[in-house]
Amino acid sequence: MTLKELSEATGISIATISRILNGQTSGNSDKLRRLEMAIEGSNDQKLLSRFRSISEKRKVIAVVIPDITNPFFTDVLKGIRGILHKHDYELIIMDSEENVEEEINILNTLKTLNLSGVIITPVSDADEECQSENILKDLRIPVVLVDRDVRSSSIDGVFVNNELGAYDGVMELIHNGHRNIGLIAGPTSSKPGRERLNGYVTALNEAGIAVDPDLIMPGDFSRKSGFELANRLLDAHPEITAIFSSNNLMTIGVLQALAQRDDGRSGIEVIGFDEVSDLLDHDPGITVIQRPTKEMGETAAKIILERLDSKGRWTNRRITLTPSLLRAR
């Protein structure tokens, strides 16, 4: 069956049919239904197989996250799932375990699948680790970044104002009377790590407090690094009275380190990025920087749906949401 015959049978333009059969547009449900009925009626099995392959491709979206055990990503997934399931999309969820090589392996696997699109939180955006970005471009399907960026890229994304969040957290500690504030930082190979470090520095500068590099401990967003770095910081710097931690898992490590110390320093004030109450058997009662996690997932899902329905006409969207200071009750 020719494209002209399909167009006459369905009332859909030849150009639109061509784009649908080549996977370049999702089309709307009415057009897809008319097209499928016309192809089935023609008994052209080769064309029907091609159409169904393209249709199936549009109904599966892969979500790649760096740590499936982190409640932040669990909440982001809830937002993504809530939107996409309403539109009959299935999700494939894959965990890169904060490992660039594992991320590359996952993305190479995705190249072999019939996918509609990919929502991903990349492990790193360091220039020397741009292989993931190249693979994402080679997929030739819609891609939306969540939380972390790909450096110098215009890929669609949903982010949070990390610098503002860290600034607000550190300023809260300063307002509470602290002058010697340690930082458990994230990796500077990631957008959140760099921006939260910048927020810490900006807050100290505005308060007229000298930035001491020895009080900045770069971690890797894991509980273990939070525990080890907090102990190292406290052992080396008895003058510290407060700590700002750059993510929830590291904050848990910091709190565990403080709880285990017998040197009278367990009363140090801690503020962290993201909530930690779901990670402990008891409410630690600390002030945190709260991100709109579910909204981040919902926004990413909406962007990818809009991209799939854009018929090739699209202006990249990069949205930055605002965190808030959630004070301890």
Side-chain angles (χ1 to χ4, degrees), residues 113-324:
L113 305 178
N114 285 328
L115 295 173
S116 309
V118 175
I119 298 173
I120 180 172
T121 299
V123 173
S124 170
D125 63 5
D127 291 339
E128 66 273 19
E129 296 167 342
C130 63
Q131 190 174 348
S132 294
E133 179 185 3
N134 293 334
I135 299 173
L136 288 171
K137 291 178 179 177
D138 288 343
L139 292 174
R140 300 189 183 280
I141 54 177
V143 174
V144 179
L145 307 172
V146 176
D147 184 42
R148 304 183 194 173
D149 204 357
V150 173
R151 195 174 299 188
S152 303
S153 172
S154 60
I155 296 175
D156 298 327
V158 181
F159 311 103
V160 72
N161 192 330
N162 292 290
E163 186 165 346
L164 175 63
Y167 170 88
D168 287 344
V170 176
M171 287 302 295
E172 178 78 359
L173 291 172
I174 293 170
H175 290 156
N176 290 346
H178 299 286
R179 305 286 293 180
N180 297 302
I181 302 169
L183 172 67
I184 307 298
T188 55
S189 61
S190 72
K191 176 185 177 75
R194 290 191 303 276
E195 292 182 344
R196 293 170 197 175
L197 171 59
N198 292 342
Y200 167 87
V201 171
T202 299
L204 293 183
N205 285 337
E206 285 194 11
I209 301 172
V211 177
D212 183 350
D214 290 340
L215 301 188
I216 299 173
M217 296 286 177
D220 61 7
F221 288 144
S222 72
R223 184 182 304 204
K224 180 181 178 182
S225 72
F227 179 85
E228 293 176 349
L229 294 174
N231 278 318
R232 188 185 308 171
L233 190 64
L234 294 170
D235 288 341
H237 298 280
E239 73 275 15
I240 285 178
T241 60
I243 294 175
F244 183 81
S245 172
S246 292
N247 94 321
N248 53 356
L249 296 183
M250 292 195 301
T251 302
I252 295 299
V254 171
L255 294 174
Q256 290 175 332
L258 290 172
Q260 293 179 19
R261 294 184 74 88
D262 57 5
D263 56 1
R265 307 197 67 195
S266 61
I268 285 177
E269 184 173 3
V270 177
I271 291 181
F273 218 105
D274 291 332
E275 293 186 67
V276 297
S277 56
D278 289 343
L279 295 169
L280 292 177
D281 295 331
H282 63 282
D283 185 347
I286 69 168
T287 295
V288 296
I289 304 303
Q290 185 179 50
R291 286 187 282 179
T293 50
K294 186 178 179 183
E295 183 182 353
M296 292 176 74
E298 291 172 342
T299 304
K302 290 175 183 177
I303 289 175
I304 211 162
L305 289 174
E306 292 168 5
R307 186 67 178 261
L308 288 166
D309 199 39
S310 67
K311 299 180 176 61
R313 299 185 296 273
W314 183 257
T315 300
N316 288 90
R317 297 185 60 189
R318 295 172 65 81
I319 296 172
T320 300
L321 303 177
T322 302
S324 58

